[in-house]
Amino acid sequence: MADPTLFDISQRGKRCTRMPAPEKGAEELIPAQHLRAQAPGLPEVSEPEIARHYATLAAQNFNVDGHFYPLGSCTMKYNPKVNEALAADPGWARLHPATPEEHVQGALRLMHQLEAWLCAILGMDAVSLQPPAGAAGEFTSLRVFRAWHDSQGNTQRTRVIVPDTAHGTNPASVARCGWTVTVLESGDDGRVSPEALADALDDDVAALMLTNPNTLGLFEAQVLQIAEMVHDAGALMYCDGANMNALLGHGRPGEMGFDAVQVNLHKTFSTPHGGGGPGSGPIGVTAELEPFLPVPRLVEQDGRLAWDWDRPESIGKVQSWFGNFLVAVRAWAYIRACGADGLAQVARDAVLAANYIRASLEDVYDLPYPGACMHECVLSARTIAEETGVRAADIAKRLLDHGIHPPTMYFPLIVDEALMIEPAETETKAALDRFIEVMREIAREAAADPEILHDAPHSTPVRRVDEVKAARNPILRWQGR
Ligand SMILES: *Cc1c(COP(=O)(O)O)cnc(C)c1O
């Protein structure tokens, strides 16, 4: 039987707190047409009951503090708790964005330093912290590209080339910018093929959007040649930098020939992402594009920081106030604590962990693109599916029975039965070994007893859900018993 809801345990007259009766009746305070005819049917419970109800629900949740979570920086890597504590400090958290600049020099200094550090990490000349997510960073950068092209009289450039492995936000950002997408098919090695790119380039192309390492976890080793081709064709190079976890301290988009890049602070730089926000997608650009960045820009004069709104070439405002400030606080603290050497170590450990998993599983699962990977490895259950009927989704559900969160599945779209595994830098070797052992065990089960996988998970509070029905007929409200 399902756990009782708050409505089930409700008893008339129970309360957590008692509010003093208002001095005036509701009729005097609220116009009659806005008053309910009947009191709402809210559950009536005591404080311990409500506390236990939510604690029980929370305990049923899969979470990164309790379980191995191979979704990685892309979705939910483990983040140091100290950065949460710092961001929650009332000195930051209760700051009002309209506070006069002279009273918030410390907060402005933090943002200014973070901009400078991100410039150094990305190899770019200027950074804006304003975009509130990775997709918003893509969109803002494309608007900057468009303003630059307009300033050059290149108004015929309306096409953006996007590889078929790209995250779905890339084509969406292009469309929001009023441009059209040309999809570039990946080469046999899972990377951009310079020959295919040459065919796609023309004088109506505004930019190439490239994710490096790409979403197959592969480094685009020909990026310098690609950048030269794109620039020779009069277009700009955009780097989707959401996979920065792999590059920290080892490779800089600015040195790879990119003109702009976004970085997802809520992925690599210590803000939890799985809950759905808030995020932050700062963008870095070359000096040539700097005048077009969103307003306001943070400027320093005589040791004082101030917002500069007077920037005639700017694309304007892209976010209320100055971006998601508390995400910037976590990123500042993370970078400060790691230092340059520590950040390089983060990338080394993340890449090593992914390759350890790849090398330990490639004899049991398909590896569609052989060879070393970066921060994530993309395996495939294609052969297992053909031989046993067990699909990637069944494997993912079975992992839950072993207390492991499923990896990203069925992405990138060009890999059948894809299992994209990103352990990130924080997992111990023991945790990785256990994951490998469970994945091998599941592959054995697929051959011996596929039903157990089709019916998984067996041990979770909610068993296999009908995902199609849940999407088509969502019941999001208590409907009585
Ligand atoms: C997450 C991600 C994005 C989008 O970032 P959001 O902050 O979710 O908008 C874009 N590209 C890649 C490769 C990503 O992993």
Side-chain angles (χ1 to χ4, degrees):
M1 215 189 76
D3 291 326
T5 64
L6 280 179
F7 293 95
D8 295 323
I9 59 174
S10 170
Q11 277 180 299
R12 275 201 73 177
K14 282 195 176 177
R15 289 285 182 277
C16 293
T17 41
R18 283 187 194 279
M19 307 293 276
E23 280 164 21
K24 294 179 183 175
E27 298 76 9
E28 273 182 79
L29 295 168
I30 301 169
Q33 74 267 30
H34 296 310
L35 279 177
R36 291 173 167 274
Q38 274 180 324
L42 299 176
E44 299 178 64
V45 290
S46 66
E47 185 176 316
E49 284 172 314
I50 204 167
R52 284 174 197 154
H53 174 76
Y54 283 114
T56 305
L57 281 184
Q60 293 179 6
N61 224 351
F62 242 75
N63 57 84
V64 76
D65 287 344
H67 307 271
F68 179 54
Y69 234 75
L71 295 177
S73 67
C74 170
T75 302
M76 196 63 177
K77 75 172 182 180
Y78 181 89
N79 292 301
K81 297 284 179 263
V82 63
N83 300 333
E84 292 302 312
L86 283 167
D89 185 303
W92 305 121
R94 312 225 37 189
L95 215 47
H96 195 286
T99 312
E101 286 158 3
E102 60 268 30
H103 299 310
V104 289
Q105 285 294 309
L108 298 184
R109 181 63 59 194
L110 181 144
M111 286 191 265
H112 198 60
Q113 277 183 353
L114 182 60
E115 283 185 7
W117 294 345
L118 291 176
C119 277
I121 289 168
L122 298 170
M124 288 291 174
D125 299 317
V127 160
S128 166
L129 298 180
Q130 289 199 34
E138 295 167 22
F139 173 69
T140 305
S141 300
L142 291 178
R143 290 295 313 279
V144 166
F145 279 10
R146 188 166 169 174
W148 180 83
H149 275 310
D150 286 350
S151 77
Q152 306 289 306
N154 295 337
T155 47
Q156 87 289 1
R157 293 189 177 270
T158 55
R159 207 152 55 80
V160 176
I161 302 174
V162 180
D164 56 5
T165 49
H167 196 277
T169 50
N170 288 193
S173 298
V174 174
R176 289 301 297 161
C177 197
W179 281 343
T180 56
V181 178
T182 298
V183 177
L184 193 65
E185 218 176 288
S186 299
D188 293 339
D189 61 351
R191 295 167 172 89
V192 166
S193 129
E195 293 73 40
L197 177 64
D199 288 344
L201 282 171
D202 211 339
D203 61 9
D204 63 344
V205 171
L208 168 72
M209 293 182 90
L210 191 63
T211 311
N212 201 14
N214 68 25
T215 63
L216 292 164
L218 302 174
F219 188 74
E220 295 280 356
Q222 314 230 53
V223 64
L224 293 176
Q225 184 191 345
I226 290 169
E228 196 176 318
M229 291 169 67
V230 168
H231 287 144
D232 285 350
L236 294 171
M237 282 283 285
Y238 182 71
C239 179
D240 178 339
N243 294 345
M244 203 60 207
N245 220 59
L247 293 183
L248 292 173
H250 296 276
R252 310 199 306 162
E255 286 167 4
M256 297 176 200
F258 288 105
D259 300 289
V261 53
Q262 107 276 357
V263 59
N264 295 35
L265 299 187
H266 51 284
K267 292 188 175 177
T268 302
F269 295 98
S270 197
T271 285
H273 180 206
S280 176
I283 58 171
V285 299
T286 58
E288 195 174 351
L289 297 177
E290 195 272 342
F292 304 98
L293 284 175
V295 280
R297 298 280 299 142
L298 203 46
V299 292
E300 181 158 17
Q301 229 171 24
D302 306 325
R304 308 299 285 169
L305 289 161
W307 292 112
D308 179 10
W309 292 84
D310 182 21
R311 302 180 49 87
E313 291 188 287
S314 164
I315 60 163
K317 200 99 186 65
V318 297
Q319 157 78 343
S320 58
W321 302 106
F322 317 115
N324 281 332
F325 174 66
L326 295 177
V327 183
V329 173
R330 291 179 181 90
W332 184 96
Y334 184 68
I335 294 172
R336 190 83 176 81
C338 289
D341 292 345
L343 288 179
Q345 187 71 41
V346 164
R348 268 198 297 278
D349 289 346
V351 170
L352 180 62
N355 277 290
Y356 183 62
I357 288 177
R358 175 190 58 74
S360 306
L361 289 177
E362 65 185 336
D363 60 329
V364 182
Y365 292 88
D366 299 316
L367 182 68
Y369 299 98
C373 61
M374 298 289 283
H375 63 305
E376 63 196 9
C377 67
V378 179
L379 301 174
S380 160
R382 188 175 172 172
T383 304
I384 291 181
E386 281 165 9
E387 289 175 358
T388 70
V390 165
R391 302 193 57 202
D394 302 317
I395 294 166
K397 299 291 183 198
R398 186 64 174 144
L399 282 169
L400 291 165
D401 285 331
H402 293 277
I404 293 173
H405 194 280
T408 302
M409 287 179 299
Y410 301 115
F411 183 82
L413 302 177
I414 62 169
V415 174
D416 284 342
E417 300 298 329
L419 291 161
M420 174 202 272
I421 299 162
E422 187 189 349
E425 66 280 0
T426 44
E427 296 300 333
T428 61
K429 178 161 177 298
L432 300 180
D433 283 335
R434 167 137 200 286
F435 173 71
I436 290 161
E437 192 188 304
V438 168
M439 286 293 283
R440 297 185 74 88
E441 157 92 23
I442 290 175
R444 278 194 297 274
E445 252 172 10
D449 189 4
E451 279 316 302
I452 211 169
L453 290 166
H454 291 311
D455 295 338
H458 300 270
S459 61
T460 48
V462 176
R463 299 277 305 270
R464 176 94 53 129
V465 293
D466 182 338
E467 282 159 16
V468 176
K469 189 167 176 209
R472 293 277 157 79
N473 182 26
I475 301 171
L476 304 174
R477 191 166 71 78
W478 185 69
Q479 303 199 312
R481 284 250 161 88

